[in-house]
Amino acid sequence: MSEDQRITKCAIYPAIGISRIGNAPNDNYYLAPEIPGKPAKVTNGYKDREGKVKKQVARFRIYGLTEDGTVVRELTADEAQIEWRVHVANRKAAWYQFNNALDIEGLGIPSAFRNKDIVGEDRTKKLVIDPGSRSISGKNTQGKEYYLSGGKFFDKEVPLGEIRTDEKGRLLFFGGNGDSASYDNKPATTFANNNGWHDDVSDGPVRATVKFGNLEMEAEPAMVAVVPPNFGQGLYGVVTMYDIVIDLFYRKEWLNRPEQPDFWENIYPIFERMTQTQWVNEGFFFLFGYNSPSNLTDPVLLKTLSDPSDISKPERERLFRWFRNPEKDTDEPVDVPPFYGDAFGDYNNIAKDDLSVTSTQYYWLRKWAEGNFISKTKTLDTCQSLEEMSPPLQTEALNKAALEECLGGPFHPGIELTWPMRVASMWKAPFRLNTLPEVEEPKDNFGPLLGSKMALGSGGPLQSSGPGTLTRWLGVPWQTDEASCLSGGDYNPSTYLPLPSFWAARVPNQVLSEDSYQRLSDTTLNPAQRLKHFDYRPNWLRDLGSVYQTKINNMVQKWYELGIIVKKYLSENNNKEQFLPNQVWVETDRGSFSESDPSFEQVKYAEKVAEKVIEQRPLTGPQKTSKRQRPVFGRGEV
């Protein structure tokens, strides 16, 4: 039997695709990441020449499967007829208010409707933005007939994007432009529940009919979610959405959990992502940043941490004790990771006030501390493209890359997808959500109050997904939430460090500015002067004002002018003393805000004046300039 003869059915991958909004024209976009650990590839930056943010476009593929579900190969328009069908919607304004995650046992707070004065059929007619289903087929197909237009908020048309196909007939999904507004022109006043407001994020099922040889197959459907921009390109959450769902699949025994973790695959990413948060939060920079003894990416330290022998066991056990145990009910605010939790702001001195790693991550950390782990040769960069992988590995990569890019908490409510993703009834199989029948509309009314019992029970809203059901749990509009949930210093100015943080990898707190990067790259300056610029971390939202309501409304209007944090490099000639890392993440493309920082010439002039007054002294090591030598958490453990 030939390979193609083994194909009896097909499925769409990724099973959940992530598009991101942007206000640049749709001919200037970049594709969503398709390989785990690899950021999206982009040409000439994440903004266009006019300073508008490029859209991240999800690409969907068809794979042929055997009867038992084994992946055979990708099917394209070269050998198959593929008709795609997409139906997305925005249901936020017709949904319930966000109070907190309703799956927190015993702590969920029931919610009333948003826009509760709109009643009956008008809730669907006026508040749900639904352009209806669209179909597309062929290669390189595009046009106005594939625009996702026609949906309205009250009487205002709100476009939700566009669909196209590529040169192989794969589906390309373009999301909205990032437009948010109030129908009655009232300002936003709160982080998540602004009545009368809409945005243009969306989500919904992706389906396809495939004719291949003598077969006509209905593909296993996928879901697409359109979410806010990624302002921290190449950075990841310590807990990602992939970590959340794989933990669920392991606990439900839908997948077999490896009993022995691999250091580089299961342990190192936790350390690396916590350390790399230094580029978007000053507290993480202090605790884990470059020149800190808690820099968990330092090659010398990694040599010890990746060693399973008893020699390194004391160091492994010491580091393991830092981590918050997700199974404990007690509040452990000084433990890591230093992020707010799902219940922050609703309750005091409970475990859910702070974010924990997942049960699976904690289990692997414990095994690692005990020395019960393997440490294969580090091969994180072996695959540069899907074509280098076998078809089964391609589908695994597509599923993982999409969810790995999304944050796994805190869900208050969240940035991309939120707490329903960790509820078992949402899932048909690992990585594939239950979807409503194509002819069935989602239900938006579960009574005047939605509480945990109804939300999680049979017949509730978490039994299947349809147009608009994933993003409706999030804040409206998205900009007000992102401008509200930042870091500790924003809530308590007396806090020494801006910790904990919310979503720093996607919504930065403090950053390394472009001006600072230029100065620390200047080899005519002495190391002390360059380290001064390296240590300076201004607030990312510094241009939006300090008054809360002014800030959140400025975010609605000016979100696309904010800087995007991207990786840059320092050459060996620029870094002979090794006081600085070889790669840094830098705030770029601040748009019209760029004039608010001191100019390069102003800084250089000030430095020349300072050099005339201050006697420059040679340094013998980074410890003489780095304040980050203090014990982490004040416990004397570093």
Side-chain angles (χ1 to χ4, degrees), residues 93-364:
W95 193 235
Y96 294 85
Q97 294 180 345
F98 173 80
N99 286 324
N100 69 352
L102 294 177
D103 66 334
I104 307 176
E105 186 174 357
L107 300 177
I109 302 174
S111 299
F113 286 119
R114 291 170 175 155
N115 300 292
K116 64 180 180 180
D117 293 337
I118 308 297
V119 298
E121 294 181 357
D122 279 348
R123 290 193 63 80
T124 299
K125 183 178 179 180
K126 294 183 176 182
L127 302 177
V128 175
I129 305 167
D130 187 349
S133 181
R134 294 290 192 280
S135 299
I136 192 170
S137 60
K139 299 179 181 180
N140 295 315
T141 304
Q142 63 182 78
K144 290 185 178 180
E145 61 267 40
Y146 306 112
Y147 291 179
L148 304 177
S149 56
K152 293 184 178 182
F153 185 74
F154 285 84
D155 295 322
K156 174 187 176 182
E157 183 167 330
V158 180
L160 295 183
E162 176 188 356
I163 56 173
R164 299 179 182 178
T165 61
D166 71 4
E167 71 281 358
K168 293 289 187 180
R170 304 173 182 121
L171 178 71
L172 302 177
F173 190 97
F174 296 73
N177 294 326
D179 295 331
S180 302
S182 164
Y183 84 93
D184 54 6
N185 297 315
K186 291 183 178 179
T189 59
T190 185
F191 75 104
N193 301 306
N194 289 287
N195 288 327
W197 277 80
H198 75 274
D199 58 30
D200 60 356
V201 307
S202 64
D203 66 89
V206 176
R207 296 181 167 91
T209 301
V210 181
K211 294 181 180 179
F212 176 65
N214 296 324
L215 295 174
E216 181 168 339
M217 303 173 285
E218 187 64 25
E220 191 69 37
M223 289 285 290
V224 64
V226 180
V227 302
N230 179 355
F231 290 105
Q233 293 288 342
L235 300 174
Y236 299 89
V238 177
V239 181
T240 69
M241 185 58 73
Y242 177 82
D243 295 321
I244 292 293
V245 301
I246 199 72
D247 176 66
L248 171 66
F249 304 154
Y250 287 153
R251 287 187 288 105
K252 292 296 180 181
E253 298 183 351
W254 299 345
L255 294 175
N256 294 322
R257 180 181 66 186
E259 293 302 309
Q260 191 178 49
D262 179 276
F263 178 81
W264 295 108
E265 182 178 353
N266 306 121
I267 305 300
Y268 175 73
I270 300 172
F271 299 160
E272 192 263 349
R273 290 165 184 176
M274 191 158 62
T275 300
Q276 295 298 63
T277 306
Q278 67 178 293
W279 306 112
V280 283
N281 178 276
E282 189 175 21
F284 278 83
F285 178 47
F286 185 99
L287 297 178
F288 305 108
Y290 196 79
N291 294 329
S292 166
S294 298
N295 174 9
L296 302 178
T297 61
D298 178 79
V300 176
L301 180 57
L302 282 176
K303 188 175 181 180
T304 298
L305 299 182
S306 61
D307 175 18
S309 73
D310 288 342
I311 296 176
S312 64
K313 188 172 184 178
E315 187 72 6
R316 297 195 309 268
E317 290 179 333
R318 183 175 66 89
L319 183 52
F320 173 67
R321 288 194 297 270
W322 293 2
F323 282 86
R324 192 174 292 114
N325 185 342
E327 307 303 327
K328 278 191 175 181
D329 294 328
T330 55
D331 186 26
E332 298 172 328
V334 299
D335 289 349
V336 301
F339 291 97
Y340 290 112
D342 292 349
F344 173 76
D346 302 319
Y347 301 94
N348 295 317
N349 303 317
I350 64 170
K352 296 297 183 181
D353 279 348
D354 301 289
L355 182 71
S356 298
V357 294
T358 68
S359 296
T360 295
Q361 288 176 306
Y362 194 77
Y363 171 83
W364 281 336

Side-chain angles (χ1 to χ4, degrees), residues 22-28 46-48 52-55 177:
N23 59 346
N26 283 3
D27 286 336
N28 204 348
Y46 293 93
K47 293 186 180 181
D48 68 7
K52 295 182 177 180
V53 174
K54 298 176 183 178
K55 288 182 173 68
N177 294 326

